[in-house]
């Protein structure tokens, strides 16, 4: 069962048919182990090397600087833990952007909890764009790693990576960027942007799930995350996900060719979404920066209603979207990204993320715009809140829960 | 994620609204936490004739609100006080683990509404503390 | 370019066409993110759950006990590092079988070097079968983990897992088995065998490369290796390799159905290989246990010649095999497995591993047996050693290298 | 992994064998390490007329042995002593990094053979220490 309209391209993307077809060859025809000496293996090794060169080329790197991984998350873990453990002699301080994906935040928290790291989380203003001065100010003589994502997965905001990396370089601090949402969607050149470590993930640009890559600048030492048979020149052991690597490289090649088209096409559709929503629905706000933003990303907050319900109603109408509400995130808390740009929990619960992709059409946008007002209205009809009860709705201090009458019960905090 | 029954109640919620001259009103949850239910009941001779709800919340919150308005209809005050959140979840053919004690407040709202009715009619409140089973959360997330 | 005859099924196996076809669906049709709330995602989540149930079923486990990973190597790393870090309060001693794959040995070495582990490596006799008494003897009051592979990748020897796990259980020590070579080839039941942690890898049983699984017995606490968005119930974050997981589960289902057939078919062919080699070529020995052995594995050592040359000559004749010689292993040392069962380095250099698979035929075996004697003969003609120079060949102490004349040069140790 | 030229020399090795009444013999390597080369040369008036090899070792070891027997033919003693392992690798269009200083001993064997010839003929040995460039190993392995 699939949705008729897919507006959640930041969550994942379909594999392009030509990519899938090429991958299939590496299951059926070229299935050798690249570590094997004979033809069946060596011919595959050559293809993996070619894929590595393609990926390197796509971001202005050298093939030796590319390490394939089992996901964007693994690439992030490898970068954060690897850099921290390798540089621990110099210091134990990490500067982490507050809006990072859990794939970056959780490794940081792990290092704080278990391996003596001190982590400073720096936050942006309400547009989500980080002021590079905030990084400069957070630096101590113990700082060994700065990690700032290139583009945010929830609000699409693009960070001033070049400015931040310059600060890192001036202080001789390793700079990592999670570019999982950026690579394949906007132009990325590791030299121009001054990046030491960069993570990407194939399924965000029409490649397969379960394969990513980490760019590791020449000369950078990184502590290994996965030890074993010394594949990836000892940096990431395990028999190579050959088909996945081929798929990643091919998808990236195609995605990069389409960047200009996508920029034009997606921004145009996205602007149509934004205008349509803001013009036709009351009590809604547009979240994030209007300019420094991924072309296909639109993010809103609707008052008085809750995001999971919104997503489910749109789903029933055949439209796939997502929300940063607590319920839809399953983490029992609303998106830390939305809270991190100063939104209240209530506003965050009412969020809706729409992310367009290369095959999105104007017709789809129009259908979405036709469906959405009715859904919002229906949910608002059902809501105990409205403009008249604004105060009760916005009041974050008062606890409306019966838990007040039963002070030994604190389930309300989790509800 | 949700059972068919949950989706049925979510997509066609029964008894949405507020009873104007309600005999009992119960509101639980907190918008900060993402779930608020307001239940209004009509009571006659200690029997619940009608219940209506308004809910701000996720699929589970809406479905539990909806089904309790059906379940409670015709029940006595005593019977209503016996209904637990767990029973509501069961009536919906189960809820995902992470929804068990977050979005399943309908019985609590009902008990509050009943207490409200009792107090308004000069009786002692009788609802027990809400009982929430501890379930392990299946943590997941969006990306 | 592929070899006509593929006799290296322990290195990797071709993906079955029906498995590849099913995977393809998860690129083209069912490509949603299982974490997404809407249909496109939820329908995939259901399939991933079904796959998990299938895998659990195949080894007698509960679906909640299965954690998918990015390779057999990652599963091993997660098991070893995860168990060590989780149990560090109880002790720091690990017992590791000496013939483990690098995917197990290297994590152990890492823990020794960086995290205070003490590791005892226990070795078998020349058949490669471990005496469980050796485990019992190695246990100290600090022992928290025992890891013994189910079947060896070089010599195919199968270990007395049940006996060993009983000892572990009696001492309340966690027991891990690397079953990468076993799962899909021999029957495995985690309860019957008393296993706490078990690693598998899809590409060893006609599934795709780049996906594995770890069985984690209910109640076992394991420190997480990859942190992030809490997929796999928080145990292994990162968007699921959906197609890979489907491929693994389907391949395992088929492999398990074929176990009886393979046992009969492969042992018969293997015995034909062994008889053919031993009957027709002088100065060759058969390595490993003759009975407690994977059905498709044959491993030999040919005197006076070197394995890489042997593998390359067979490759030229269209036959894919492998060797535990230093040169073919690229680690600059002969296989630790062969040294670990008491073979000399010279014997190890002359090793040849033949591993048959489900589609191997008698004709292929016969062609191999026709080609091999000529190749061995040709290499022996070229060799400076022979029966008359036996002493020089076998002499491990004397250094024939000119480095002796230049004591400041020690390249000979690496040659 | 190997260049075409390596594979050519490996699959069709030139001058395999031992010169019976060799004027110089050089053997390097160690079976424990997986590579042993034995080079025999025929010399006349300080000119190498012929060279033959026997090698126990990998593809690189065989190919370097084979090519040196060709390269050295007709060379003077002086010229032979100038040939380096690096030059041999180059003549084969390169060797994989991990083979550079492990299996590339042919020049060393040649120098030993020349020294053997010199000493046998009452001259001073002249070979320099073997020169092995340090290269980074691309670690790989079988599974
Ligand atoms: C015994 C054994 N353990 C672990 C592994 C590693 O598995 P993978 O190739 O999936 O990383 C292998 C094979 O490479 C193996 O043979
Ligand atoms: C910004 C960002 N970083 C990291 C990840 C994790 O990548 P993967 O899904 O490949 O684990 C994602 C997506 O899930 C992401 O959006």
């Amino acid at each position: 069962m699939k949705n008729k309209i897919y507006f959640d391209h930041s969550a994942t993307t379909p594999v392009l048919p030509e990519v899938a077809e090429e991958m299939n060859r590496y299951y059926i025809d070229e299935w050798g182990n690249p570590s094997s000496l004979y033809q069946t293996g060596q011919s595959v090794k050559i293809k993996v090397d070619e894929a590595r060169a393609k990926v390197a080329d796509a971001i202005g790197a050298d093939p030796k600087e590319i390490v394939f991984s089992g996901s964007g998350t693994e690439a992030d873990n490898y970068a954060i833990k690897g850099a921290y453990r390798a540089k621990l002699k110099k210091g134990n301080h990490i500067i982490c952007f507050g809006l990072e994906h859990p794939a970056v935040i959780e490794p940081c928290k792990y290092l704080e909890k278990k391996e003596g790291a001190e982590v400073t989380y720096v936050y942006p203003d309400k547009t989500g764009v980080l002021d590079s001065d905030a990084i400069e100010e957070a630096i101590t003589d113990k700082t060994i790693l700065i990690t700032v994502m290139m583009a945010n997965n929830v609000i699409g905001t693009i960070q001033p990576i070049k400015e931040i990396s310059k600060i890192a370089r001036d202080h001789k601090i390793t700079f990592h960027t999670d570019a999982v949402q950026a690579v394949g969607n906007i132009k990325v050149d590791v030299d121009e942007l001054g990046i030491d470590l960069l993570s990407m993930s194939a399924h965000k640009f029409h490649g397969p799930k379960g394969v990513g890559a980490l760019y590791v600048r020449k000369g950078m030492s990184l502590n290994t995350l996965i030890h074993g048979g010394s594949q990836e020149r000892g940096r990431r052991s395990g028999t190579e996900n050959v088909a996945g690597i081929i798929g990643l490289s091919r998808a990236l090649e195609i995605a990069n060719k389409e960047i200009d088209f996508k920029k034009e096409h997606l921004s145009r559709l996205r602007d149509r979404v934004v205008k349509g929503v803001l013009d036709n629905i009351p009590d809604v706000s547009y979240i994030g920066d209007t300019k420094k933003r991924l072309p296909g990303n639109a993010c809103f907050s609707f008052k008085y209603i809750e995001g999971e319900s919104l997503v489910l109603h749109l789903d029933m109408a055949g439209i796939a979207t997502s929300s940063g509400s607590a319920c839809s995130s399953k983490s029992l808390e609303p998106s830390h990204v939305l809270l991190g740009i100063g939104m209240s929990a209530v506003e965050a619960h009412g969020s809706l993320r729409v992310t367009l992709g290369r095959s999105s059409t104007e017709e789809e946008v129009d259908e979405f715009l036709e469906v959405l007002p009715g859904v919002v209205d229906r949910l608002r009809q059902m809501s105990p809140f409205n403009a008249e009860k604004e105060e009760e709705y916005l009041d974050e201090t008062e606890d409306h829960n019966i838990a007040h009458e039963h002070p030994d019960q604190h389930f309300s905090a989790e509800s | 994620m949700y059972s068919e029954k949950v989706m049925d109640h979510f997509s066609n919620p029964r008894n949405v609204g507020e009873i104007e001259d309600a005999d009992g009103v119960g509101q639980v949850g907190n918008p900060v936490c993402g779930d608020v239910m307001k239940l209004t009941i009509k009571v006659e001779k200690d029997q619940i004739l009608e219940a209506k709800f308004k809910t701000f919340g996720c699929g589970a919150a809406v479905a539990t609100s909806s089904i309790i308005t059906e379940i409670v209809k015709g029940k006595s005050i005593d019977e209503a006080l016996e209904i637990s959140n767990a029973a509501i979840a069961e009536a919906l053919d189960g809820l995902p683990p992470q929804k068990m004690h977050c979005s399943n407040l309908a019985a609590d709202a009902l008990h509050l509404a009943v207490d409200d009715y009792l107090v308004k009619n000069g009786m002692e409140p009788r609802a027990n503390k809400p009982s929430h089973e501890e379930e392990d959360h299946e943590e997941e997330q969006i990306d």
Side-chain angles (χ1 to χ4, degrees), chain A residues 93-129:
Chain A
H93 183 239
I94 298 173
I95 299 173
C96 176
F97 182 42
L99 310 191
E100 293 296 313
H101 190 271
V104 168
I105 300 236
E106 294 302 325
C108 286
K109 286 195 181 152
Y110 176 77
L111 294 174
E112 279 185 287
K113 208 170 133 191
K114 298 279 188 177
E115 301 187 17
E118 284 177 38
V119 184
T120 302
Y121 298 90
V122 292
Y123 287 89
D125 66 14
K126 74 182 193 354
T127 63
V129 181

Side-chain angles (χ1 to χ4, degrees), chain A residues 172-188:
Chain A
K172 297 196 168 53
I173 298 166
T174 298
F175 178 67
H176 167 253
T177 189
D178 175 342
V180 166
Q181 291 288 344
V183 168
N185 283 316
I186 57 175
K187 273 181 194 136
V188 176

Side-chain angles (χ1 to χ4, degrees), chain A residues 65-364:
Chain A
E65 297 174 317
I66 303 297
V67 181
F68 290 112
S69 70
S71 62
T73 299
E74 186 194 321
D76 282 336
N77 272 258
Y78 178 32
I80 303 291
K81 295 175 184 167
Y84 179 77
R85 290 169 184 161
K87 295 187 198 307
L88 196 46
K89 267 170 230 143
K90 289 199 201 145
N92 68 335
H93 183 239
I94 298 173
I95 299 173
C96 176
F97 182 42
L99 310 191
E100 293 296 313
H101 190 271
V104 168
I105 300 236
E106 294 302 325
C108 286
K109 286 195 181 152
Y110 176 77
L111 294 174
E112 279 185 287
K113 208 170 133 191
K114 298 279 188 177
E115 301 187 17
E118 284 177 38
V119 184
T120 302
Y121 298 90
V122 292
Y123 287 89
D125 66 14
K126 74 182 193 354
T127 63
V129 181
L130 187 60
D131 183 347
S132 58
D133 287 350
I135 295 284
E136 181 88 52
E137 278 159 30
I139 291 174
T140 75
D141 56 358
K142 295 265 179 236
T143 309
I144 50 175
L145 175 66
I146 296 172
T147 180
V148 178
M149 71 205 309
M150 195 169 291
N152 185 270
N153 46 308
V154 179
I155 56 175
T157 307
I158 296 170
Q159 300 303 326
I161 295 300
K162 205 167 163 174
E163 284 173 36
I164 297 167
S165 75
K166 190 175 172 326
I167 295 170
R169 192 155 292 189
D170 288 348
H171 289 81
K172 297 196 168 53
I173 298 166
T174 298
F175 178 67
H176 167 253
T177 189
D178 175 342
V180 166
Q181 291 288 344
V183 168
N185 283 316
I186 57 175
K187 273 181 194 136
V188 176
D189 184 296
V190 289
D191 280 341
E192 197 191 307
L193 294 173
I195 295 160
D196 296 321
L197 299 164
L198 174 145
S199 315
M200 67 175 87
S201 176
H203 75 101
K204 304 293 188 182
F205 47 79
H206 301 279
K209 294 169 184 57
V211 58
L214 185 68
Y215 159 79
V216 183
R217 184 171 288 281
K218 212 165 228 162
M220 276 279 314
S221 60
L222 272 194
N223 210 310
T224 303
L225 188 66
I226 301 180
H227 296 85
S230 296
Q231 289 87 349
E232 298 295 294
R233 303 169 70 231
R235 299 190 133 172
R236 198 266 189 182
S237 292
T239 300
E240 296 87 340
N241 178 353
V242 173
I245 288 169
I246 301 289
L248 183 152
S249 71
R250 186 82 182 95
L252 181 51
E253 193 179 30
I254 297 169
N256 267 0
K257 274 189 197 138
E258 290 181 346
I259 276 185
D260 290 333
F261 155 73
K262 273 187 294 198
K263 188 174 175 180
E264 193 280 315
H265 177 64
L266 297 184
S267 333
R268 194 172 49 77
L269 291 187
R270 190 260 321 276
D271 293 347
R272 193 179 180 91
V273 168
V274 175
K275 189 172 180 329
V277 169
L278 298 182
D279 283 358
N280 294 305
I281 301 178
D283 293 321
V284 56
S285 51
Y286 186 46
I287 308 169
D289 196 89
T290 50
K291 293 267 158 57
K292 294 167 188 153
R293 187 170 194 127
L294 288 175
N297 175 293
C299 193
F300 305 95
S301 170
F302 295 89
K303 273 192 177 172
Y304 317 128
I305 60 178
E306 192 275 335
E308 184 192 295
S309 283
L310 196 49
V311 167
L312 290 175
H313 269 288
L314 288 170
D315 185 27
M316 291 189 295
I319 303 170
T321 57
S322 71
S323 169
S325 82
C327 282
S328 69
S329 83
K330 311 289 192 309
S331 71
L332 308 180
E333 287 197 8
S335 162
H336 71 288
V337 172
L338 301 180
L339 301 181
I341 57 170
M343 285 174 70
S344 67
V346 177
E347 290 174 295
H349 286 309
S351 65
L352 183 76
R353 179 183 77 176
V354 171
T355 48
L356 308 170
R358 65 195 285 283
S359 55
S360 299
T361 64
E362 210 166 286
E363 290 68 42
E364 289 179 339

Side-chain angles (χ1 to χ4, degrees), chain A residues 308-309 349 382 402 408 415, chain B residues 2 32-33 55 57 99 112 129:
Chain A
E308 184 192 295
S309 283
H349 286 309
M382 206 186 294
I402 48 164
D408 54 330
S415 68
Chain B
Y2 289 126
V32 176
C33 304
T55 289
K99 298 286 183 184
L112 270 196
K129 292 174 185 180

Side-chain angles (χ1 to χ4, degrees), chain B residues 17-23 25 40-42 50-52:
Chain B
E18 265 179 80
I19 298 174
E20 290 258 317
D21 50 348
D23 298 307
V25 180
T40 47
I41 51 173
K42 184 111 208 106
E50 200 188 348
K52 284 195 170 182

